[in-house]
């Protein structure tokens, strides 16, 4: 399908969605009060039922029951489900990518790249199933062995956002399953169809290898459905991805029942460009990080902190690149920027731009809305705004393609500007000076969970733990030792002697 924006018809997209679901083996859902829309036109794809209170309770109960058997399955055998899921995702990569485009508005390469991330994390989890290492420590008592072991935690509740409707679910689910946990997934109500597809593929994978498909449960609906998941004591861990405000609501409620939280929240990511930077390389990294996914990534580059000596030539390069970005139908070949997800996203962008202008900002390029196929579709040109200072609007995250540009004269000043926001997810520096790079990566350099040199703020790899500090929530998902969040640790002491010496040499005769 290749159409100009004004030629798009919702009937074609509706038919396309139905065909993709059929190829993925998903039966048409029962019509209901939950509406699946496409940001491509703003129109309705289909409706489906939201989960009732009783259905959410039953789903958690099934996951809790399944956990009691699943935790006793050896981890390499649990990985068989993830291995089969990886094969199904590989088989249906294009289909699932097309569904992501329809529901989230991502251009084809980004949507397919998100599915590839799912495959990558499955491979990581399969290898991890043989590496859930504990440790042995020296005991102070003769004839004793002291060690730590890791055990499955329980039911994991996954709450995901619209902008990565499948990858973030896979990050959590693939690792949780090999760790011996079961999963209850509450996706964004904006992307219910991709959730149906992933749920169907995983349960099919489980059946194909003779595992219990009840290890994964799907609940759909608005905030009330997620709140029920958050408040249920049977849910050992709540992994929630979303806004800072959402995290501020979730964390205290989970803590009140002594559950665990893994939070991936807001990002207000910045890149520092030093005088020694390769400006051509920096431009490529900046434009992709700032304009990709129409600015709707938690790792989107939102602040550019450029040295005064290179700010003008760098802005010239970025502006030139921005003017060449094709904005339009994400299903069309060659389009680089798709739509904003909805009217609220557009209103947020307009409000932020107005505040920036009030604060003395200057729009260098972009920011205008492009005519779409319907008034409910919101296409915009990514904006570059030069700011005289890091004002309140710059310190906030606006989930839209706005790049604020600030200048500096000294690297210490740049790092201070960089860190002077509440969020702490991703960051980068463009430099060919090793001292500047090392200064940025030092303990008193970038205060983010992700700090890069000579690449942008987006595009994290599966092998490294993903997450951030401060209002980003402190969670870590995906690679490295993030698996520990999905397990519980036990310290074990084994006495293989015939004596019973007490710790610290205490005698109790």
């Amino acid at each position: 399908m290749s159409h100009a924006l004004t030629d798009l018809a919702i009937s074609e997209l509706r038919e396309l969605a139905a065909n993709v679901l059929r190829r993925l083996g998903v039966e048409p859902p029962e019509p209901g009060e939950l509406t699946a829309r496409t940001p491509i036109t703003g129109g309705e794809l289909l409706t489906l039922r939201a989960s009732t209170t009783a259905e959410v309770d039953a789903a958690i109960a099934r996951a809790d029951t399944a956990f009691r058997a699943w935790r006793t399955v050896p981890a390499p055998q649990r990985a068989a489900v993830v291995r089969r899921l990886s094969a199904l995702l590989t088989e249906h990569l294009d289909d699932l990518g097309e569904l992501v485009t329809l529901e989230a508005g991502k251009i084809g390469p980004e949507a397919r790249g998100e599915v590839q991330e799912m495959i990558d994390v499955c491979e990581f989890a399969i290898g991890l199933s043989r590496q859930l290492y504990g440790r042995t420590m020296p005991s102070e008592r003769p004839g004793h062995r002291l060690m730590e072991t890791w055990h499955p935690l329980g039911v994991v509740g996954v709450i995901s956002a619209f902008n990565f409707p499948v990858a973030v679910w896979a990050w959590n689910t693939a690792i949780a399953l090999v760790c011996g946990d079961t999963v209850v997934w509450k996706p964004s109500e904006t992307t219910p169809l991709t959730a149906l597809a992933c749920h169907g593929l995983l349960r099919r994978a489980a059946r194909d290898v003779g595992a219990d498909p009840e290890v994964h449960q799907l609940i759909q609906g608005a905030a009330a459905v997620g709140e029920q998941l958050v408040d249920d004591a049977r849910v050992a861990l709540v992994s929630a991805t979303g806004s800072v405000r959402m995290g501020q609501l979730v964390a205290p409620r989970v803590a009140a029942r002594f559950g665990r939280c893994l939070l991936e929240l807001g990002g207000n990511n910045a890149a520092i460009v030093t005088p020694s930077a390769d400006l051509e390389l920096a431009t490529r990294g900046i434009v992709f990080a700032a304009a990709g996914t129409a600015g709707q990534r938690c790792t989107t580059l939102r602040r550019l902190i450029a040295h005064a000596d290179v700010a003008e030539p760098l802005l010239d390069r970025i502006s030139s690149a921005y003017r060449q970005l094709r904005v339009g139908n994400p299903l069309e070949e060659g389009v680089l920027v798709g739509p904003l997800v909805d009217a609220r996203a557009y209103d947020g962008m307009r409000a932020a731009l107005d505040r920036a202008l009030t604060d003395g900002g200057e729009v260098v390029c972009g920011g205008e809305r492009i005519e779409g196929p319907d008034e409910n579709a919101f296409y915009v040109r990514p904006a570059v705004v030069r700011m005289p200072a890091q004002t309140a609007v710059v310190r906030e995250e606006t989930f839209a393609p706005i790049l604020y540009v600030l200048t500096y004269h000294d690297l210490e000043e740049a790092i201070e500007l960089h860190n002077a926001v509440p969020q702490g997810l991703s960051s980068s520096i463009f430099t060919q000076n090793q001292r500047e790079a090392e200064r940025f990566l030092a303990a008193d350099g970038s205060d983010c969970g992700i700090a890069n040199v000579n690449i942008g703020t987006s595009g994290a790899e599966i092998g490294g733990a993903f997450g951030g500090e401060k209002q980003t929530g402190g969670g870590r998902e995906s690679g490295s030792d993030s698996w520990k969040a999905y397990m519980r640790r036990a310290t074990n002491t084994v006495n293989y002697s015939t004596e019973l010496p007490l710790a610290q040499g205490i005698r109790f005769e």
Side-chain angles (χ1 to χ4, degrees):
M1 177 181 290
S2 179
H3 293 294
L5 280 179
T6 52
D7 297 333
L8 281 171
I10 185 59
S11 58
E12 294 178 82
L13 300 183
R14 195 176 291 136
E15 181 182 356
L16 178 59
N19 289 336
V20 172
L21 287 173
R22 276 193 290 270
R23 291 197 297 270
L24 288 164
V26 177
E27 294 296 324
E30 181 182 340
E33 65 280 10
L34 190 61
T35 302
R37 296 186 181 278
T38 176
I40 298 174
T41 64
E44 177 186 306
L45 294 172
L46 52 76
T47 66
L48 60 161
R49 285 184 58 254
S51 302
T52 65
T53 300
E55 287 168 339
V56 174
D57 181 74
I60 297 172
R62 287 193 298 271
D64 188 44
T65 299
F67 167 70
R68 300 178 189 284
W70 186 241
R71 63 185 171 183
T72 66
V73 176
Q77 292 182 29
R78 297 193 293 252
V81 175
V82 179
R83 184 178 293 107
R84 179 58 183 148
L85 175 62
S86 177
L88 291 172
L89 290 172
T90 302
E91 178 184 344
H92 294 287
L93 188 151
D94 290 337
D95 290 330
L96 193 52
E98 202 160 34
L99 201 54
V100 169
T101 294
L102 284 170
E103 279 203 301
K106 289 188 175 184
I107 62 173
E110 285 189 302
R112 290 189 294 274
E114 183 175 348
V115 181
Q116 184 60 52
E117 268 193 52
M118 302 172 77
I119 297 166
D120 293 345
V121 81
C122 284
E123 291 179 359
F124 178 87
I126 292 163
L128 183 66
S129 69
R130 295 181 183 271
Q131 301 177 77
L132 301 174
Y133 297 136
R135 64 173 67 187
T136 300
M137 296 82 76
S139 172
E140 64 186 42
R141 291 169 285 189
H144 285 62
R145 180 157 61 96
L146 183 62
M147 60 184 179
E148 290 179 346
T149 52
W150 291 87
H151 302 289
L153 181 63
V155 177
V156 173
V158 178
I159 300 174
S160 59
F162 81 89
N163 60 325
F164 277 85
V166 294
V168 170
W169 166 77
W171 291 359
N172 284 276
T173 301
I175 293 178
L177 288 176
V178 299
C179 287
D181 303 327
T182 55
V183 175
V184 181
W185 181 23
K186 192 279 179 194
S188 167
E189 58 267 40
T190 307
T191 54
L193 302 185
T194 49
L196 284 175
C198 291
H199 178 62
L201 288 175
L202 192 147
R203 289 173 75 91
R204 177 177 157 191
R207 286 191 293 267
D208 286 351
V209 300
D212 183 3
E214 299 301 323
V215 296
H216 189 269
Q217 305 291 325
L218 174 67
I219 55 177
Q220 298 257 37
V225 172
E227 289 172 6
Q228 190 176 346
L229 185 66
V230 164
D231 292 336
D232 198 301
R234 292 169 295 182
V235 179
L237 170 69
V238 175
S239 179
T241 301
S243 67
V244 171
R245 181 178 176 277
M246 183 270 283
Q248 290 169 334
L249 297 173
V250 168
R253 292 172 73 155
V254 176
R257 59 175 180 81
F258 297 100
R260 293 193 197 177
C261 262
L262 196 167
L263 298 175
E264 298 290 356
L265 308 175
N268 192 352
N269 315 294
I272 296 173
V273 181
T274 73
S276 70
D278 178 336
L279 294 188
E280 179 60 32
L281 183 147
T283 299
R284 293 200 303 271
I286 289 164
V287 171
F288 173 74
T293 325
Q296 297 170 121
R297 287 174 179 248
C298 53
T299 53
T300 290
L301 179 62
R302 308 200 183 281
R303 296 177 296 137
L304 176 60
I305 304 170
H307 191 277
D309 290 350
V310 297
E312 291 305 327
L314 180 62
L315 265 178
D316 287 344
R317 289 170 180 263
I318 293 171
S319 300
S320 175
Y322 264 50
R323 293 187 181 101
Q324 296 175 56
L325 291 174
R326 282 192 61 195
V327 181
N329 175 11
L331 290 166
E332 188 176 348
E333 191 87 18
V335 168
L336 296 175
V337 180
L340 293 175
V341 67
D342 56 23
R344 190 169 73 168
Y346 174 72
D347 291 343
M349 180 176 180
R350 285 306 325 160
L353 287 173
D354 289 344
R355 288 176 62 193
L357 294 177
T358 300
D359 290 344
E362 172 197 357
V363 176
V364 178
C365 64
E368 64 270 23
R369 184 177 177 184
I370 297 172
E371 183 182 358
D374 187 275
E375 63 179 5
N376 294 314
F378 296 89
Y379 293 83
V380 296
R381 295 200 182 280
V384 177
V385 184
R386 189 162 193 166
M387 297 296 294
Q390 190 157 259
T391 61
V393 71
V394 181
R395 289 193 296 271
E396 298 171 2
E397 179 189 40
T398 299
F399 223 58
I402 303 175
L403 178 63
Y404 298 111
V405 182
L406 303 157
T407 57
Y408 77 96
H409 294 87
D410 175 79
L411 185 58
E412 297 305 314
E413 175 195 358
I415 291 174
E416 186 175 341
L417 268 175
H418 176 280
N419 293 345
V421 295
Q423 310 85 359
L425 179 52
S426 188
S427 60
S428 67
I429 187 170
F430 289 90
T431 179
Q432 296 184 82
N433 182 311
Q434 185 177 359
R435 285 183 175 175
E436 291 175 335
E438 296 294 342
R439 175 68 187 87
F440 183 71
L441 300 178
D444 57 348
S446 167
D447 63 359
C448 294
I450 300 169
N452 299 327
V453 177
N454 290 329
I455 64 171
T457 56
S458 59
E461 292 187 34
I462 288 302
F466 179 88
E469 301 302 321
K470 301 191 291 188
Q471 285 190 1
T472 301
R476 293 295 186 274
E477 296 170 317
S478 186
S480 185
D481 65 349
S482 60
W483 60 270
K484 292 179 179 179
Y486 303 86
M487 302 195 81
R488 62 179 180 86
R489 176 164 44 184
T491 300
N492 312 129
T493 306
V494 178
N495 179 4
Y496 57 88
S497 74
T498 58
E499 304 296 328
L500 189 61
L502 302 178
Q504 289 86 44
I506 296 173
R507 301 181 65 84
F508 197 82
E509 302 294 351

